[in-house]
Amino acid sequence: SRPILDMSYSRHFLDFQGSSIPSSMKKLVVTKLSQNFREAVTLQQDAPVPLPGDGDLLVRNRFVGINASDINYSAGRYDASVKPPFDIGFEGVGDVVALGLSASADYTVGQAVAYVKAGSFAEYTVVSARHAVPLPSVKPEFLTLMVSGATAYISLKELGNLSEGKKVLVTAAAGGTGQFAVQLAKKAKCHVIGTCSSDEKGGFLKSIGCDHTINYKTENVESVLRKDYPEGVDVVYESVGGKMFDLALNSLAIKGRLIVIGFIAGYQNPTGLQPIKAELLPAKLLKKSASVRGFFLNHYLSEYTMALKHLLEMYERGDLVCEVDFGDMSPEGKFTGLESVFRAVDYMYMGKNIGKIVVELPHSVNSKL
């Protein structure tokens, strides 16, 4: 059965030049479970454009965000019961091009929105009006806040217990979510240390307020921390895993807190993990009255709307840098079109990005949307 559509305004099914929404589109689909994104995912050329139900928006995606966990999703690690084929991509920004009747109470055609929902790696996505975020315009910077910014904001607020003068270590600090952890810790008047893989990234980190950058390719992170912070660090915002987790754990101060928001170093392994020295964990925590806390955004959705509102306000005021990386410096150039999502995922795992990796989906020439 076809969902109820708002037939009262034919323009809800037209773009601004009167050309119809196409009946088919491109989208990415997981056709085989694998942590190898290129093996797992297929570009479908002629998928039907979905129809919005009564409370839904049909969004023409203009920018989609790349996340480290895209390969966890393609490997089926979040829900063992889900079998391929299924849609992929977690977040998008675009224009409303059609909507259901009750959704039209709050939204209109042409409105810019962002959303977090599985299935954003597509030219069009149906989004519940309740879960869409209205935006002043379609800008890729807004996309950086949806998952990456919200993760940093909520995890530091709920688990970080930040206060003036605390020493905060951010691993992968120049990445999509690291950039926000650095800025938010700085706004809490903390001393911020960031690890990164190049001097160029170090320069970016200094420009957003990082007090001390450590290039782990050219410096020994452990000895730098031991020498410069003999008492240890109070909070670690950790997204790398493996050896970096062990090192961060060893660097904690008395009553220090290590927040695990990911472990990207292990995601490409068949198990999704990289070994850590876990047998020493109880002794190390006890010795320092320290703690390790995990953070998964889905468990904190009650805080999400408030967090996003604050982040959007900060960005609009010019108080927050939302660095976007379109892959201009990658060998084949800017990430444009769904076919470039594969390159963008590779680029992330090569550790090349500064800020959030975003793919632009160009819209057809005969349309103003």
Side-chain angles (χ1 to χ4, degrees), residues 26 28 43 64 123 334-343 359-362:
K26 292 181 188 174
L28 295 186
L43 175 61
V64 293
E123 290 178 319
K334 186 175 174 177
F335 303 133
T336 306
L338 285 170
E339 45 287 338
S340 70
V341 167
F342 298 97
R343 282 200 299 125
V359 173
E360 181 170 6
L361 305 187

Side-chain angles (χ1 to χ4, degrees), residues 170-189:
V170 180
T171 63
T177 187
Q179 64 171 330
F180 295 110
V182 167
Q183 293 178 80
L184 294 168
K186 202 64 207 148
K187 287 188 190 311
K189 298 191 165 84

Side-chain angles (χ1 to χ4, degrees), residues 19-52:
S19 62
S20 310
I21 293 164
S23 57
S24 68
M25 65 172 186
K26 292 181 188 174
K27 71 173 180 175
L28 295 186
V29 180
V30 176
T31 48
K32 172 192 170 189
L33 294 183
S34 171
Q35 78 282 356
N36 179 328
F37 194 82
R38 287 178 182 269
E39 265 181 28
V41 178
T42 305
L43 175 61
Q44 209 174 317
Q45 297 282 356
D46 55 355
V49 171
L51 290 173

Side-chain angles (χ1 to χ4, degrees), residues 217-229:
K217 293 278 177 79
T218 58
E219 298 173 84
N220 182 309
V221 180
E222 195 150 21
S223 52
V224 171
L225 289 172
R226 204 179 299 123
K227 176 173 143 299
D228 293 347
Y229 306 95

Side-chain angles (χ1 to χ4, degrees), residues 151-215:
T151 295
Y153 185 99
I154 300 170
S155 64
L156 289 174
K157 178 174 173 284
E158 297 291 316
L159 310 177
N161 198 10
L162 301 184
S163 58
E164 186 168 352
K166 294 274 194 225
K167 295 185 271 299
V168 178
L169 171 66
V170 180
T171 63
T177 187
Q179 64 171 330
F180 295 110
V182 167
Q183 293 178 80
L184 294 168
K186 202 64 207 148
K187 287 188 190 311
K189 298 191 165 84
C190 297
H191 175 90
V192 184
I193 309 135
T195 69
C196 60
S197 60
S198 71
D199 291 343
E200 188 193 358
K201 291 184 179 188
F204 165 68
L205 288 173
K206 288 204 170 76
S207 78
I208 59 170
C210 194
D211 297 290
H212 189 163
T213 62
I214 307 173
N215 179 345

Side-chain angles (χ1 to χ4, degrees), residues 50-180:
L51 290 173
D54 178 54
D56 295 333
L57 312 172
L58 179 64
V59 178
R60 181 182 294 173
N61 292 316
R62 295 275 296 279
F63 299 102
V64 293
I66 304 294
N67 292 282
S69 44
D70 288 329
I71 72 172
N72 288 333
Y73 200 67
S74 71
R77 287 177 184 145
Y78 290 141
D79 184 352
S81 68
V82 176
K83 301 285 179 274
F86 55 86
D87 297 348
I88 190 165
F90 291 131
E91 54 187 343
V93 165
D95 313 279
V96 174
V97 290
L99 66 173
L101 184 57
S102 58
S104 66
D106 299 305
Y107 288 91
T108 58
V109 164
Q111 189 159 0
V113 293
Y115 64 89
V116 175
K117 181 199 170 183
S120 71
F121 292 163
E123 290 178 319
Y124 295 85
T125 304
V126 166
V127 179
S128 161
R130 284 185 305 129
H131 297 137
V133 179
L135 298 174
S137 60
V138 173
K139 279 168 85 169
E141 285 78 8
F142 293 125
L143 199 52
T144 67
L145 302 174
M146 300 300 294
V147 171
S148 303
T151 295
Y153 185 99
I154 300 170
S155 64
L156 289 174
K157 178 174 173 284
E158 297 291 316
L159 310 177
N161 198 10
L162 301 184
S163 58
E164 186 168 352
K166 294 274 194 225
K167 295 185 271 299
V168 178
L169 171 66
V170 180
T171 63
T177 187
Q179 64 171 330
F180 295 110

Side-chain angles (χ1 to χ4, degrees), residues 259-273:
I259 304 170
V260 177
I261 64 120
F263 34 92
I264 189 171
Y267 292 171
Q268 289 176 301
N269 299 342
T271 60
L273 300 168

